Amino acid sequence: MPNRPIHLAAAVPLGTLVAAHKANESNSLQYLAEVAGGALGGAVGGLGPDWVDPPTSPFHRGVGHSVAVSCVLTGLASQRIDAWQAWLREEAARFRCLQYVTVDPLLRAYYGICYVLVCLVSGALVGFLAGWGSHLALDFGSVRSLPLI
């Protein structure tokens, strides 16, 4: 049965790759921030089902591992993910513009940090979904498999 290290070993690279694919038209700093966010989101998503259903026994499968619930939530999120990322990228561009026109160095640093954080969140969204999916895919192949509901 896959455990925490196996879930992380699968989810982090998958989240990173998905975020890199989705950020392929970004500038270098935005691209790096979104890829890093994808790795972080992949790690959180890869461990997420076990946070919802803690693995206190081999029979810990519940709502967090439910095929139906996960498919519905992932389907709804995947329909909106492009719009969410577009909005976050617009916000990142706004922070970048504010950073360039601001004279105050502290405010300039603040806007730069906001820019990077918004890019991280954009990548983390897709990384999280990829990580959650990798967790379910690994658990599906185990002896207990996944509950339908």
Side-chain angles (χ1 to χ4, degrees):
M1 176 156 74
N3 57 16
R4 182 183 187 104
I6 292 172
H7 285 303
L8 282 175
V12 171
L14 184 61
T16 304
L17 288 173
V18 171
H21 172 72
K22 296 286 280 181
N24 64 357
E25 296 177 10
S26 305
N27 67 46
S28 59
L29 179 59
Q30 183 177 354
Y31 179 82
L32 290 174
E34 285 197 28
V35 169
L40 291 171
V44 172
L47 298 176
D50 283 342
W51 290 337
V52 175
D53 302 319
T56 55
S57 77
F59 302 101
H60 75 278
R61 304 290 202 276
V63 175
H65 289 81
S66 165
V67 173
V69 171
S70 294
C71 285
V72 167
L73 292 177
T74 303
L76 291 173
S78 65
Q79 289 175 355
R80 299 293 306 152
I81 199 78
D82 289 333
W84 292 339
Q85 280 196 305
W87 178 77
L88 286 166
R89 289 177 180 145
E90 287 173 14
E91 286 299 302
R94 187 176 67 82
F95 282 123
R96 189 64 143 185
C97 289
L98 288 170
Q99 182 185 20
Y100 286 136
V101 300
T102 301
V103 178
D104 181 14
L106 288 176
L107 200 52
R108 183 180 291 226
Y110 170 75
Y111 288 138
I113 291 167
C114 289
Y115 170 75
V116 171
L117 288 176
V118 170
C119 292
L120 277 168
V121 170
S122 177
L125 284 174
V126 293
F128 178 83
L129 290 176
W132 193 284
S134 74
H135 185 109
L136 295 181
L138 288 169
D139 280 359
F140 182 74
S142 69
V143 175
R144 288 273 305 141
S145 192
L146 296 174
L148 183 58
I149 296 178

